[in-house]
Amino acid sequence: MEFRLLGPVSAHHGGQPVPLGGAKPKALLAALLLEHGRVVATSRLVDILWGDEPPDTARALIQTYVSTLRRAFAKHGAGEVIATASPGYVARLDPGTLDSVVFARLLADGRAAAAAGDHPRAAELLRRAGELWQGPALSGLEDSGLSAEAARLDELRTAAVEERIAAEIAAGQWGHLAAELTVLVGRHPTNERLRGQLMTVLYRLGRQAEALACYREAREVLIEELGVEPGAELTALHHAILRGETEQLAASPEQTVPGTVRPVPAQLPPVPADFTGRAAEIEALLAALRPGGGAPAPQIIAGPGGTGKSTLAVAVGHRLAEHFPDGQLYAELRGMSDAPADPAEVLARFLRALGVDQAQLPEGAEERADLYRTLLAQRRMLIVLDDAASAQQVRPLLPGRPGCAVVITSRDRLAGLPGTTLTDLRVLDAEEALLLLRRLAGDERVDEDVEAARRIVDYCGHLPLALRIVSARLAGRRALPLKPLADRLADESRRLNHLSAGDVGVRSSIELSYRALDPQSSSTLRRLGWFGVPDFSPGWCPGWWGRAWPRPRSWSSSWWTRTWSSSSASTGWVGCATACTT
């Protein structure tokens, strides 16, 4: 069996197409193939196939589509391609039978050959990568939730074409490129790299007037469609043609100009010196984000407030900085605040950091996103998007090329972002939490009363935010032993009062998540507080569901504390409340 995503979604056996059914089964198959080897939850498949308005029978229809595909594959001896794996399905296949994987390998090998100076081999590998395409990626699935993934693949195709042409120019194989580049520029009129390549080829063919006319056309298109002037590299190439600097043109197939310095932003915040634990998560994220054989998938770090998502993302970013020599961009998206960051404002900040003059910034968010992705096309950068509110907020900030890596933190899992990898961050384990308290409060203080230190760690629910707040209170009273503070924290009714320092507190962190709940979930959470249980599970909730629960007569902060700090709750207080309602 061979599977194709680089064009119409299809499967083939012995060169003959295998019937897949309509758009919905094809979209389901494409979603599984894009994540081959990884489980795709049924809920995510429902989102991909029907978006915000799934039918009541969505899960049953998913099962029907899977059965239909399995029967079609089984007729050709490949019935095991789609396997059931909780909480959904997984595609298991030889990666060499999936065209998008083969394309990614050829692209990586071509880039490696180009970096080594073997331009003829790079051109050949990239030409083979381009020949795998049969049309726009995931053709026929425009109405599914895979549009972002299709756009990503199409961007990779454009990048492969650009890099193949650059390799052919560097190898002196440019005589045949004028016609191809003319067509490509017509399809992508705002792509400055293709424009520069066409200008270079035209000049080398002795068609200087046409090369200059190509620049004038580019300037008109950029001003009319994006409201910006041509970039520094294209402008410098234009000046070189005007001055007849043939040596520069011959030596710069990539249209880079000697002496031109591109800004290298380094926006990552500092990592706290007392950062503790998370060794497994760090190693997994480093392995996923280091440049390698393919494009690194955007990494989502999700978890309740106060678990250290932002600190982990920044720590990983600093360790990866050397692998992304063109810089690191960072944005606080304020996802849990009353005023989440507008993507257009964030794009403006990023564009200024990338060297775009304020006067050349496009007005609209879409135009800014186009320019942003254009500027990142030839860069290897790391982008950290902290505290995202939703997939809609994040999408305009994602680069379009594989040379860049993205880390996103959010209290939500952002299931609407396909092609991402999730790190579900929990509280620290007992030993890591105690080690953090040692680093924050001092070894001597902890050694004086280890039992009280462990009580404090337990009362804080192993939550990094709570431990840092406690340590800040201890820092202000250096003579205070740990036992009195542990005794104060033992009182559940007043615990949250002690877990605050200045404008930072566990109560306010909980409140942000609570305010983000839908009315049904928030109502469920309030009613669960009535029973005073320290933890609960979806299996327990149905026993009470449907009863006429009384509204609480009064409550204190104790139920918040119990629910928040319960390390036995399988999904955290927000997750359990949501699971209970569904």
Side-chain angles (χ1 to χ4, degrees):
M1 293 286 293
E2 294 182 354
F3 300 92
R4 298 177 185 174
L5 301 177
L6 307 181
V9 176
S10 60
H12 296 260
H13 182 265
Q16 297 299 315
V18 176
L20 300 178
K24 289 290 191 289
K26 288 181 180 178
L28 186 147
L29 176 62
L32 295 177
L33 292 176
L34 288 166
E35 299 286 347
H36 67 92
R38 294 188 290 268
V39 177
V40 181
T42 302
S43 58
R44 182 175 171 190
L45 293 173
V46 171
D47 290 339
I48 290 172
L49 268 61
W50 291 284
D52 296 332
E53 299 181 357
D56 294 336
T57 58
R59 290 180 176 268
L61 288 171
I62 292 286
Q63 295 174 352
T64 300
Y65 297 152
V66 169
S67 298
T68 301
L69 291 170
R70 283 172 173 167
R71 286 195 298 270
F73 298 153
K75 292 180 180 179
H76 301 281
E80 72 287 352
V81 170
I82 301 177
T84 301
S86 180
Y89 303 92
V90 59
R92 293 179 177 149
L93 66 156
D94 178 359
T97 63
L98 181 57
D99 60 355
S100 60
V101 173
V102 177
F103 169 77
R105 289 176 179 172
L106 289 170
L107 179 59
D109 292 345
R111 286 171 168 169
D118 189 351
H119 298 293
R121 174 167 172 74
E124 172 61 23
L125 290 168
L126 293 169
R127 186 180 299 108
R128 286 166 53 194
E131 290 171 352
L132 293 171
W133 286 77
Q134 304 295 319
L138 310 181
S139 298
L141 304 183
E142 289 77 11
D143 294 333
S144 71
L146 297 173
S147 56
E149 190 65 23
R152 183 186 71 83
L153 290 170
D154 286 334
E155 287 285 349
L156 284 174
R157 180 188 189 183
T158 303
V161 171
E162 293 172 358
E163 293 174 35
R164 187 257 303 166
I165 291 173
E168 290 179 335
I169 293 175
Q173 304 169 358
W174 43 266
H176 65 287
L177 290 176
E180 181 183 5
L181 280 166
T182 300
V183 173
L184 289 171
V185 166
R187 293 176 183 169
H188 309 281
T190 60
N191 187 313
E192 295 189 44
R193 190 181 191 190
L194 290 173
R195 288 273 185 182
Q197 290 173 333
L198 178 57
M199 289 167 62
T200 300
V201 168
L202 290 173
Y203 183 84
R204 292 186 184 185
L205 291 172
R207 297 157 65 176
Q208 178 178 352
E210 293 177 63
L212 295 173
C214 182
Y215 175 82
R216 289 193 297 271
E217 180 185 354
R219 184 172 182 273
E220 291 173 0
V221 169
L222 289 168
I223 292 174
E224 180 179 351
E225 295 192 12
L226 303 180
V228 298
E229 292 281 347
E233 295 176 3
L234 195 64
T235 301
L237 179 64
H238 175 238
H239 292 163
I241 293 175
L242 286 172
R243 293 191 296 266
E245 296 175 353
T246 55
E247 294 181 0
Q248 177 176 310
L249 286 166
S252 61
E254 294 281 325
Q255 284 78 58
T256 54
V257 181
T260 299
V261 179
R262 295 195 299 194
V264 181
Q267 298 182 345
L268 294 179
V271 182
D274 47 33
F275 177 69
T276 304
R278 307 301 190 191
E281 291 86 351
I282 289 175
E283 287 306 314
L285 288 166
L286 291 177
L289 290 166
R290 286 192 188 101
Q299 302 293 308
I300 298 174
I301 303 174
T307 50
K309 302 181 295 294
S310 301
T311 305
L312 174 61
V314 171
V316 169
H318 280 287
R319 296 196 187 192
L320 287 168
E322 63 179 323
H323 297 286
F324 297 94
D326 292 319
Q328 307 88 45
L329 296 171
Y330 173 88
E332 166 58 60
L333 300 183
R334 306 190 304 275
M336 299 306 298
S337 72
D338 292 331
D342 183 350
E345 295 177 1
V346 177
L347 286 168
R349 283 184 45 218
F350 282 175
L351 290 172
R352 288 193 293 268
L354 293 171
V356 177
D357 187 82
Q358 178 69 30
Q360 293 184 321
L361 285 177
E363 290 295 327
E366 292 185 6
E367 291 80 5
R368 289 179 181 180
D370 290 341
L371 180 57
Y372 168 67
R373 293 188 176 113
T374 298
L375 293 176
L376 291 183
Q378 301 179 47
R379 290 171 166 86
R380 286 171 51 194
M381 301 192 73
L382 174 68
I383 298 98
V384 177
L385 305 174
D386 192 17
D387 191 19
S390 64
Q392 290 80 1
Q393 186 189 34
V394 169
R395 283 194 190 99
L397 308 177
L398 298 178
R401 299 294 174 84
C404 298
V406 182
V407 181
I408 307 162
T409 72
S410 177
R411 297 195 189 188
D412 185 76
R413 296 187 177 190
L414 304 181
L417 286 179
T420 58
T421 300
L422 175 67
T423 297
D424 204 355
L425 202 63
R426 300 298 183 182
V427 297
L428 299 171
D429 62 37
E431 293 307 314
E432 287 180 334
L434 184 61
L435 178 59
L436 178 59
L437 184 62
R438 282 183 174 278
R439 293 184 175 177
L440 293 168
D443 288 333
E444 182 178 348
R445 208 168 192 176
V446 171
D447 289 337
E448 287 177 357
D449 194 342
V450 176
E451 181 183 355
R454 291 189 181 278
R455 289 172 58 204
I456 290 174
V457 165
D458 289 339
Y459 293 145
C460 288
H462 303 174
L463 191 71
L465 173 64
L467 290 169
R468 290 188 180 279
I469 291 172
V470 164
S471 300
R473 296 175 70 90
L474 289 170
R477 304 179 64 182
R478 296 188 177 277
L480 178 69
L482 296 184
K483 187 177 184 304
L485 178 59
D487 293 340
R488 292 176 187 174
L489 292 173
D491 183 356
E492 290 186 348
S493 64
R494 297 181 178 275
R495 185 175 297 165
L496 289 183
N497 295 334
H498 300 297
L499 293 181
S500 63
D503 60 348
V504 179
V506 173
R507 177 183 279 109
S508 59
S509 179
I510 295 174
E511 182 183 4
L512 291 173
S513 289
Y514 172 75
R515 287 161 57 186
L517 291 175
D518 59 77
Q520 186 182 25
S521 297
S522 61
S523 174
T524 301
L525 184 60
R526 291 195 303 273
R527 292 176 176 183
L528 287 169
W530 172 260
F531 298 99
V533 294
D535 53 73
F536 50 88
S537 70
W540 177 84
C541 293
W544 300 91
W545 189 248
R547 298 190 180 185
W549 288 356
R551 292 185 63 85
R553 294 186 299 273
S554 64
W555 58 35
S556 67
S557 61
S558 61
W559 68 274
W560 288 105
T561 310
R562 287 195 298 271
T563 308
W564 176 263
S565 63
S566 170
S567 59
S568 61
S570 61
T571 54
W573 70 273
V574 175
C576 283
T578 304
C580 188
T581 63
T582 57

